[in-house]
Amino acid sequence: SEGNMGEDDNDNDNDNGSAGEASPESTLQEQLPKLETLLKVTKYYERMQTSSLQLAKLTAQPLHFQWTAVSSLWYKESLHDLLATLEKIQSLLSGKGNVSKDERMANLQNYVCQMMGVSNVNDIESRCSKLRQKVALLPRLAETLSSRIVTSDRHAVSENDWDVYLETLLVQDKKREALEALSEIRGTPMSCGGGNDNNTESTSDDNRVPQIDDEHTIENHVGSLLPYTQRNKLERMAGLSRELGMYGEAEGYHRELLLAFPDQWTYWLGLLDACSASTDEGGWKRCRAFAEEAISTVESGQKYALRGPYLVLLELASVKVQRLDDSNSATDEAVMTALRDEICRYGNKFGPVASCCFADVRSYLGVLVKATSSSPGPNCTPEDVLHVLQWAKELWTANCQSNYSADADVSRDEFRERRKKIRTFIFAVQVVYGIAAELHDSTAQLLQTYAPSESEMVTEWRTSLSFLPGVSPKDGGQKEVLPGDEIVLLASQYLQFQANEAKLTPFQQQQSSYDSTSNETTTPLLLCAAGLLEEAMDQSPYNPHLKIAAIGIYSQLHAAHRALTIYQDLGVKQIQLDSCSYLVLPTLIRGGLYTSAIKLSTSILRLHGSTSKEVKDYATRALRNGLLFKAKEMATFQRERMRPSLQLLHSKGLVMDAAALMIPSDLGGDIMAARQQQQKGGGRLIPSVQLGAEKGYCGNADEDATRADRIAIDAEGHFNAPSILHAATQSSHASFDGFVFSDNRDMTVNSFEILYHNSHSTRGDTIIKSLRRG
């Protein structure tokens, strides 16, 4: 009947409202899979809660009471989702009027009643009423059970015991009660990075970390072993105080945390949020004064400079710039000048010592450019931006080492100084690139004026190779990146930018005044960038960014074989297959390497299948050890990130699409090894014709029947490629936008891209292409 309903929907789309507006029938049908899943999940949590309660009554173990409390909360959460879905379905059923005259709606109505186990639609309301009573009762039951554990004197209360109790309060919106409970916890002392210990209240013998001799200490202990830490306590108290509007208390908690961990950026942001809640300038001044105090006092006891206090001063200036209202031009200019000065101060301080300095200031450069570019006219660079550009140019000019003689012996102190100069040079060029990339209309002009040429950067990089200490990585030295690798990345970015600028638009190509010579300049520039990266990879074979940049350039050159070789050298494995395979998969398809694309896609399918099995084992261990929320976290990660993975969907569609083009002989050694193992008496026999090999999906009556049967069986497994057939079938009843997939691609591996960004398929395009393949 569902198939008939699908056909009717396709034939009568215009009978249910205007185009683009979903009919009640199609909306209801979209809710049915969700309802079916929620019914199963609710039944699972109900059994879990009932079993835990019976076990707790028999054993009286604290761990089993906590199981009951946590499973009650999870049961309540699933009931809440089920209620929301039922209410939506009920409104759709009741809003149609006399649905018995509509055959499609009558079929859907009967299907819903069958799933719910009721005789008619009117009984759904009574079922919802009972579910609401359970939703109200379960949190109170969980609170009662968990409170017995944290108030008991028979055993030590662990961190997870307290977390369960606090969660039962927060679920009921009892934030103030949770804050009071946290204040009564005596946590273990914090290790103070700033040399100040303000936790004298937490030094009693009862709060020492329990002694753990070996793995048997943990295995023989029922439940969690570690007590609540003072750091975790203050973090949660600060968060709850902000939610309750107690900003003064939140500020105090963040100050105490920062005295112990002065370089923790999240604590500085929490302090800034608490201080900025004040309507006057007092909060800003207190936050700035505390940061200056941390710089002058806490930093004196540190071996290395603290980035956190300096960065919060930069954040304060940035927030002020973003809150400008253009009411006072003199004040606005002073605020933007302050941001400019803080950027230069931070760069002068950390540019020579921290390779991540540009990553720290990159967003603030964008704020400065956008704020100052609103007033000047076109092709006019603001004064504050020009000041930063001139400062950056003076930095890289002063730290250029291309004129240094290549000494055979370089002392360790001299090497440190030269490395500082390289880092400063790199940071300054990155600043110029970052600003030029923001000012699209004058990017090329700014690069010619303030940035070094690609030849100067190549000379600077080759100079840096002359004073490497010890044995270089390519000769068997330590597996680390070289200090000048970033210069090669910057030079390749410059070359790619020039190649992109040389490309002609389709309109320009139609004009008689243009010829094809401009397009011919792009390939030599890309080849030059590829050659430079190849030389850099030879000198520094363990730098992943060099390899990722090379893959991007070879993708533009359509050199799929070389891109695949470099990708394999990256050593991508395990979860990285899901997050980094997007770098090369489209290139393999465009380059005709269908067998390699299928093998890579198959490894992604295999990863997801094994992860689904491993999560069950690890979640069970977490529950046994009392790490209750970790078990839920793993299950949630599998359900919300792994199972609906975008790359998993893409791999399914790619395998089904390219299977007919796969050449078995390309597998080469894989098939030979399997056949040799089979001849020795082990392993399975390799069939004469693989799935889609040579003959595609049709061509031989005997093989076609077996192949079709195999595809139908494999389609029932979520982690098999043919299962995309079900997703493609569902797409005929709804738009592609209704599909929810988790985009797990790690785009941060391309953080070195500043001037030129390689294009990657969007989430929507990937979904559409994959479902169409299915």
Side-chain angles (χ1 to χ4, degrees):
S1 62
E2 291 182 45
N4 293 333
M5 285 185 287
E7 294 175 3
D8 290 341
D9 287 341
N10 292 332
D11 295 337
N12 301 308
D13 284 341
N14 296 329
D15 296 340
N16 297 287
S18 59
E21 182 180 353
S23 63
E25 292 86 351
S26 61
T27 305
L28 179 57
Q29 193 161 358
E30 291 177 16
Q31 297 295 320
L32 294 183
K34 183 178 181 180
L35 175 62
E36 186 176 4
T37 301
L38 287 174
L39 287 172
K40 293 179 180 179
V41 170
T42 303
K43 184 177 291 186
Y44 168 76
Y45 282 131
E46 182 181 14
R47 292 175 179 174
M48 184 178 181
Q49 192 256 358
T50 304
S51 302
S52 300
L53 183 58
Q54 293 175 353
L55 188 61
K57 291 179 179 179
L58 289 174
T59 63
Q61 285 280 358
L63 176 62
H64 299 156
F65 280 106
Q66 295 292 50
W67 283 1
T68 308
V70 168
S71 59
S72 298
L73 294 180
W74 297 344
Y75 185 26
K76 177 259 178 188
E77 182 181 351
S78 65
L79 286 176
H80 184 271
D81 295 338
L82 178 60
L83 263 174
T85 303
L86 285 176
E87 290 173 353
K88 186 173 183 179
I89 290 176
Q90 190 177 12
S91 65
L92 291 171
L93 292 175
S94 61
K96 185 70 178 178
N98 188 4
V99 299
S100 60
K101 294 182 180 180
D102 193 317
E103 182 180 357
R104 291 175 297 176
M105 205 60 165
N107 290 335
L108 291 173
Q109 176 184 341
N110 295 333
Y111 188 57
V112 171
C113 293
Q114 182 181 356
M115 282 197 295
M116 293 295 300
V118 296
S119 58
N120 55 67
V121 178
N122 297 329
D123 294 336
I124 296 181
E125 177 57 35
S126 60
R127 177 69 66 87
C128 290
S129 179
K130 294 180 181 179
L131 294 180
R132 293 188 189 96
Q133 295 176 2
K134 283 188 177 182
V135 168
L137 176 63
L138 287 170
R140 295 198 294 268
L141 172 62
E143 179 185 355
T144 302
L145 294 174
S146 59
S147 63
R148 293 174 57 180
I149 305 302
V150 297
T151 57
S152 176
D153 298 330
R154 298 179 181 178
H155 65 282
V157 182
S158 68
E159 180 179 11
N160 286 279
D161 294 335
W162 279 112
D163 284 339
V164 172
Y165 177 63
L166 293 172
E167 187 65 21
T168 61
L169 296 175
L170 294 176
V171 165
Q172 302 175 76
D173 202 25
K174 296 181 179 180
K175 296 180 181 179
R176 195 169 295 275
E177 289 85 345
L179 188 60
E180 294 174 358
L182 279 168
S183 62
E184 297 176 0
I185 301 176
R186 302 188 67 184
T188 57
M190 294 186 291
S191 58
C192 300
N196 297 323
D197 192 350
N198 296 332
N199 304 303
T200 55
E201 64 171 359
S202 303
T203 57
S204 64
D205 293 340
D206 294 338
N207 290 294
R208 291 183 302 178
V209 177
Q211 182 177 353
I212 301 177
D213 299 324
D214 50 27
E215 65 273 11
H216 297 291
T217 305
I218 299 176
E219 292 176 356
N220 297 330
H221 186 275
V222 180
S224 179
L225 187 61
L226 299 178
Y228 218 90
T229 62
Q230 184 75 359
R231 181 179 185 177
N232 194 10
K233 168 186 172 180
L234 292 175
E235 287 177 355
R236 299 204 67 172
M237 293 182 73
L240 285 174
S241 298
R242 288 204 309 271
E243 293 177 11
L244 291 170
M246 303 165 59
Y247 297 107
E249 290 78 357
E251 181 180 344
Y253 296 137
H254 283 297
R255 284 174 178 265
E256 188 173 351
L257 285 167
L258 286 168
L259 289 175
F261 307 98
D263 215 21
Q264 182 65 35
W265 179 236
T266 55
Y267 298 160
W268 284 110
L269 289 180
L271 177 65
L272 179 60
D273 289 341
C275 292
S276 61
S278 304
T279 56
D280 54 4
E281 288 288 328
W284 295 87
K285 293 179 180 178
R286 290 196 306 272
C287 186
R288 184 176 183 85
F290 186 77
E292 297 284 2
E293 180 185 354
I295 292 174
S296 59
T297 59
V298 179
E299 190 180 45
S300 60
Q302 298 286 329
K303 182 179 179 180
Y304 301 103
L306 299 174
R307 290 162 47 223
Y310 289 92
L311 200 55
V312 79
L313 295 177
L314 191 51
E315 178 71 17
L316 282 170
S318 172
V319 172
K320 282 193 173 184
V321 168
Q322 295 178 63
R323 295 186 178 183
L324 293 177
D325 56 1
D326 298 331
S327 59
N328 190 331
S329 58
T331 304
D332 294 352
E333 183 177 353
V335 170
M336 288 186 285
T337 302
L339 175 59
R340 178 200 71 187
D341 294 340
E342 288 295 343
I343 291 175
C344 297
R345 178 190 182 189
Y346 191 87
N348 290 329
K349 179 72 176 179
F350 296 101
V353 296
S355 57
C356 60
C357 186
F358 176 71
D360 291 342
V361 304
R362 187 172 187 174
S363 60
Y364 303 112
L365 289 173
V367 172
L368 178 65
V369 171
K370 292 177 182 178
T372 56
S373 300
S374 57
S375 53
N379 300 323
C380 181
T381 307
E383 182 180 351
D384 289 322
V385 176
L386 287 175
H387 182 278
V388 177
L389 287 170
Q390 185 62 35
W391 163 74
K393 181 178 181 180
E394 293 174 358
L395 268 184
W396 69 257
T397 303
N399 290 275
C400 184
Q401 303 182 82
S402 57
N403 296 327
Y404 279 40
S405 60
D407 299 332
D409 296 326
V410 178
S411 64
R412 195 169 189 84
D413 292 339
E414 185 178 357
F415 169 71
R416 289 176 180 173
E417 290 300 318
R418 287 197 173 188
R419 185 166 58 182
K420 288 183 179 179
K421 286 181 174 291
I422 292 176
R423 286 176 175 167
T424 306
F425 179 90
I426 293 171
F427 167 72
V429 178
Q430 287 174 330
V431 169
V432 175
Y433 280 15
I435 294 177
E438 293 287 341
L439 299 171
H440 305 287
D441 296 334
S442 53
T443 301
Q445 179 183 355
L446 292 176
L447 291 175
Q448 292 176 1
T449 306
Y450 296 99
S453 64
E454 60 268 26
S455 59
E456 289 177 310
M457 286 188 283
V458 171
T459 303
E460 185 71 18
W461 168 67
R462 287 177 176 157
T463 303
S464 69
L465 299 176
S466 62
F467 54 84
L468 290 174
V471 183
S472 63
K474 72 169 185 175
D475 296 327
Q478 292 185 353
K479 296 182 178 181
E480 58 183 14
V481 301
L482 299 183
D485 289 347
E486 288 285 342
I487 301 178
V488 178
L489 292 173
L490 292 171
S492 67
Q493 281 278 293
Y494 199 172
L495 291 168
Q496 289 182 82
F497 170 77
Q498 291 177 328
N500 187 60
E501 289 291 301
K503 291 180 180 178
L504 297 178
T505 64
F507 174 77
Q508 291 172 333
Q509 293 175 0
Q510 296 175 3
Q511 305 303 311
S512 57
S513 59
Y514 289 93
D515 53 28
S516 61
T517 56
S518 297
N519 281 339
E520 293 176 356
T521 61
T522 61
T523 299
L525 288 170
L526 293 176
L527 288 173
C528 183
L532 182 60
L533 287 169
E534 289 285 359
E535 184 180 356
M537 286 189 292
D538 180 61
Q539 297 289 340
S540 181
Y542 302 107
N543 191 325
H545 283 165
L546 292 175
K547 297 179 180 180
I548 294 172
I551 291 174
I553 291 179
Y554 283 122
S555 176
Q556 299 177 60
L557 293 169
H558 306 290
H561 275 286
R562 183 54 185 158
L564 176 61
T565 302
I566 296 174
Y567 176 82
Q568 292 171 342
D569 290 341
L570 276 172
V572 175
K573 60 183 67 174
Q574 299 299 328
I575 194 65
Q576 294 174 341
L577 288 169
D578 198 48
S579 59
C580 296
S581 59
Y582 74 94
L583 294 169
V584 74
L585 264 178
T587 304
L588 298 180
I589 295 298
R590 290 196 301 267
L593 301 182
Y594 303 114
T595 304
S596 298
I598 289 176
K599 290 173 65 176
L600 180 55
S601 299
T602 303
S603 63
I604 296 174
L605 299 178
R606 194 180 302 117
L607 163 73
H608 283 273
S610 61
T611 303
S612 177
K613 299 176 183 177
E614 292 171 356
V615 163
K616 301 172 186 176
D617 297 334
Y618 287 117
T620 302
R621 294 183 188 180
L623 287 172
R624 188 181 298 119
N625 293 328
L627 304 176
L628 309 179
F629 291 101
K630 288 296 181 183
K632 180 66 179 301
E633 181 180 327
M634 285 186 282
T636 303
F637 177 78
Q638 173 63 27
R639 182 177 65 253
E640 297 181 359
R641 299 295 301 276
M642 295 298 288
R643 188 176 180 86
S645 168
L646 184 66
Q647 281 300 95
L648 175 62
L649 176 73
H650 183 218
S651 299
K652 292 178 184 179
L654 193 148
V655 169
M656 298 301 292
D657 198 35
L661 303 172
M662 185 187 73
I663 302 176
S665 59
D666 287 350
L667 296 176
D670 296 343
I671 292 182
M672 291 299 298
R675 285 178 176 171
Q676 291 176 1
Q677 184 178 2
Q678 197 275 333
Q679 291 175 358
K680 294 179 181 179
R684 61 183 181 86
L685 178 65
I686 300 294
S688 58
V689 179
Q690 299 286 330
L691 171 64
E694 296 180 347
K695 299 182 181 180
Y697 296 114
C698 58
N700 184 290
D702 297 333
E703 294 175 358
D704 287 348
T706 304
R707 189 180 296 114
D709 187 42
R710 182 73 262 172
I711 292 176
I713 295 174
D714 289 344
E716 299 304 319
H718 179 72
F719 302 109
N720 295 328
S723 65
I724 196 175
L725 299 173
H726 293 308
T729 303
Q730 294 173 6
S731 66
S732 63
H733 301 299
S735 63
F736 290 121
D737 297 334
F739 288 85
V740 179
F741 292 97
S742 174
D743 191 351
N744 300 332
R745 295 176 296 178
D746 185 7
M747 296 298 179
T748 60
V749 299
N750 305 303
S751 59
F752 60 87
E753 297 179 346
I754 306 174
L755 278 179
Y756 179 83
H757 297 270
N758 283 296
S759 60
H760 302 285
S761 178
T762 63
R763 174 183 171 276
D765 289 342
T766 303
I767 294 174
I768 292 174
K769 291 178 182 178
S770 300
L771 292 178
R772 284 176 177 171
R773 286 168 176 167

